[in-house]
Amino acid sequence: MSSMAARLVSELTERGETLSFCESLTAGLASATVASVPGASAVLRGGLITYATEVKSHFLHQPVADIEAAGVVSGETALAMARAAVAETGADWGIGLTGVAGPDLQEGKPAGTVYIGIYSPGRVAFSQLLSGLGKERNEIREATVAAALRLLCSTLEENPALREQ
């Protein structure tokens, strides 16, 4: 995971772009993983920990009932979280992470069900469902972070830089 974080920091630094997170099940692990890389301060703008639905409601500017209707654990919510990360920090890229770390079901979904949202204004807005990321809470959380970093790296390869160097 640390090599992927280093790759991401290097790529974003080279592009002159920044990143922020809105994390639920990972509770800051993604931000901390990126921050552990030397030079991360050039790219990491910040992050939101929105573990509780009421906190998601605040940053997503949506009523709790609307979030629950869409699903707290859904692609729609993950994308809204990525947008909130960008809106709150001014970053070029936002990653939203929501899912079920377990051990119990949430919204009828089993542990290891995760949605990752990726957002960059005017360029990219999508979410991706992952499942079967493990059985233990920390295994799921770590696999989620690794998957999110890989997903953003591959997305960066497909999208030109915002600013010329």
Side-chain angles (χ1 to χ4, degrees), residues 2 15 33-34 61-63 68-69 72 81-82 87 89 91 93 100-101 108 121:
S2 61
R15 294 164 64 108
T33 299
V34 171
H61 306 286
Q62 296 177 9
E68 289 175 341
V72 174
M81 291 170 68
T89 67
W93 292 92
V100 186

Side-chain angles (χ1 to χ4, degrees), residues 1-2 4-6 9 28-37 40 44 145-146 149:
M1 187 164 44
S2 61
M4 186 57 62
V9 167
L29 183 60
S31 298
T33 299
V34 171
S36 71
V37 176
L44 183 61
V145 171
L149 299 180

